[in-house]
Amino acid sequence: MFPVNRLRRLRKNENIRRLVRENHLLVDDLIYPIFIEDGKDIKKEIPSMPGIFRWSLDRVNEELDEVANLGIPAVLLFGIPSHKDEVGSDTWSEEGIIQRAIRHIKKHYPNLYIITDVCFCEYTSHGHCGVLHDHDVDNDLTLENTKKQVVSHAKAGADMVAPSGMMDGVVKTIREALDEAGYKHIPIMAYSAKYASSYYGPFREAADSAPAFGDRRTYQMDPANRREALREVAIDIEEGADIVMVKPALSYLDIIRDLRNTFNVPIAAYNVSGEYSMIKAAGKLGWIDEKKVMLETLISMKRAGADIIITYFAKEVAKILKNEK
């Protein structure tokens, strides 16, 4: 009871605040997404994502040198191919852009952990996440192509695969395909609770992945649903997911907390492109303190229960943490 209990005593100065701080943002928490484009001499800034670029393989070391020097442990690769078709066949080609990128990174940065996004939207002529039938994605036909995609990633040297298409049964399909091909050691980070969100707009510009018609609400989750996320995650864990993900993160912190309270597995939060771009835009206009809002946003994800944060801010955060040491 006041005046005996004075909680401000533990807020008196920065040293005591550090001692009692409950959550910490570490460089070990971070995964940095990188866009690899087929072609040469490409360093193309994404207009809606200041500071984020599309890179060709002959220039991507400029980015990877910085990532490695900052101690960021992992990258998540997205490919922009020169050829697109109805089924996204570049995704399983041995000479596909991601397969070549994996081999390149493994050769030059053997200690960098490579995670590959497993989907089709960047590679299909229609921009949807699989094989179309009657103007909708056919779940089971898409799974057949997913098998080929993940095995080709593993063969190229990927350390982890991350299916993002929200196809039913995708984790089971991938686990069986990897195991049968001799890649039992490769973990799966499932985009288990991926919502049909408006926060993905800048990413679709970055990856040339906007759907040519319609939207993705028949396979991505309804933003109004909470309990459904628990079902999705439970199924993915049962099918063999090693890490589960919530995407987007900021507007779905309640989902992260629900998962943390329910499941004893690592949880990843994807701090998506729209979340990044809003902070960048408001910071540029002087409406917010960009650095402080960035850090507050990311620590909110840790506080909600995330173990891993996939974020375009990874390099900026790593620099701040490095300077604080």
Side-chain angles (χ1 to χ4, degrees):
M1 297 287 291
F2 179 82
V4 175
N5 290 332
R6 291 179 179 267
L7 298 184
R8 288 181 61 190
R9 294 182 186 123
L10 300 183
R11 306 171 193 153
K12 179 67 174 176
N13 58 46
E14 180 59 17
N15 281 342
I16 187 61
R17 291 193 295 269
R18 286 171 60 198
L19 286 169
V20 300
R21 190 160 290 149
E22 299 174 24
N23 293 282
H24 298 270
L25 189 63
L26 306 172
V27 70
D28 296 343
D29 304 327
L30 305 176
I31 296 172
Y32 185 54
I34 297 181
F35 299 95
I36 311 289
E37 183 173 358
D38 202 3
K40 293 184 177 180
D41 195 28
I42 297 170
K43 180 186 177 182
K44 186 187 304 179
E45 187 170 30
I46 299 157
S48 57
M49 299 178 70
I52 304 299
F53 298 83
R54 286 160 54 151
W55 299 89
S56 55
L57 284 179
D58 60 340
R59 293 197 63 179
V60 74
N61 286 13
E62 299 171 37
E63 179 85 303
L64 294 170
D65 283 345
E66 189 174 16
V67 170
N69 289 335
L70 288 169
I72 296 169
V75 293
L76 176 60
L77 301 184
F78 294 94
I80 299 96
S82 56
H83 166 75
K84 299 188 180 192
D85 57 32
E86 285 292 304
V87 295
S89 61
D90 194 79
T91 61
W92 63 81
S93 168
E94 287 192 10
E95 293 305 313
I97 182 58
I98 286 297
Q99 288 78 0
R100 286 184 283 128
I102 296 167
R103 293 193 293 266
H104 174 89
I105 296 170
K106 277 300 174 186
K107 178 180 178 181
H108 296 282
Y109 305 89
N111 294 324
L112 196 59
Y113 197 84
I114 301 174
I115 307 167
T116 58
D117 179 72
V118 175
C119 197
F120 296 92
C121 57
E122 302 105 300
Y123 306 88
T124 55
S125 52
H126 46 74
H128 279 281
C129 300
V131 180
L132 290 185
H133 180 70
D134 289 338
H135 281 73
D136 194 12
V137 173
D138 187 294
N139 193 95
D140 296 0
L141 290 177
T142 300
L143 293 182
E144 290 301 311
N145 288 344
T146 302
K147 294 179 188 179
K148 296 183 284 187
Q149 183 180 168
V150 294
V151 170
S152 73
H153 289 187
K155 185 178 179 181
D159 296 297
M160 178 186 289
V161 294
S164 63
M166 289 295 288
M167 296 296 112
D168 292 336
V170 69
V171 174
K172 181 176 185 290
T173 297
I174 289 174
R175 186 73 274 156
E176 290 176 350
L178 291 174
D179 290 357
E180 289 171 6
Y183 299 106
K184 296 179 180 179
H185 62 285
I186 293 183
I188 300 170
M189 177 169 65
Y191 286 63
S192 300
K194 181 179 179 180
Y195 286 83
S197 172
S198 298
Y199 283 94
Y200 303 149
F203 175 91
R204 290 173 181 170
E205 178 185 13
D208 289 341
S209 63
F213 63 89
D215 53 42
R216 296 177 177 144
R217 289 183 292 176
T218 67
Y219 42 101
Q220 294 177 1
M221 288 179 56
D222 188 333
N225 291 358
R226 181 174 180 176
R227 297 188 302 272
E228 184 185 5
L230 295 174
R231 295 183 63 196
E232 286 279 4
V233 170
I235 290 169
D236 281 359
I237 293 171
E238 184 179 358
E239 291 184 355
D242 300 282
I243 300 171
V244 296
M245 186 199 300
V246 177
K247 181 182 181 183
L250 188 56
S251 291
Y252 299 86
L253 296 177
D254 59 323
I255 308 302
I256 297 172
R257 174 45 55 184
D258 284 346
L259 300 189
R260 180 76 292 146
N261 290 342
T262 308
F263 302 105
N264 189 25
V265 298
I267 297 171
Y270 201 139
N271 176 218
V272 299
S273 59
E275 298 166 359
Y276 172 88
S277 297
M278 287 191 303
I279 292 174
K280 282 292 182 182
K284 183 177 180 180
L285 290 170
W287 292 349
I288 60 171
D289 184 315
E290 181 181 318
K291 174 184 171 182
K292 289 181 178 179
V293 171
M294 171 188 70
L295 293 173
E296 184 177 340
T297 298
L298 297 180
I299 201 66
S300 75
M301 298 167 196
K302 290 294 297 290
R303 190 182 67 245
D307 303 290
I308 299 163
I309 300 176
I310 304 162
T311 178
Y312 303 97
F313 287 120
K315 292 193 302 178
E316 294 175 58
V317 173
K319 290 173 185 176
I320 292 168
L321 296 175
K322 192 172 185 179
N323 290 334
E324 288 179 350
K325 288 185 177 181

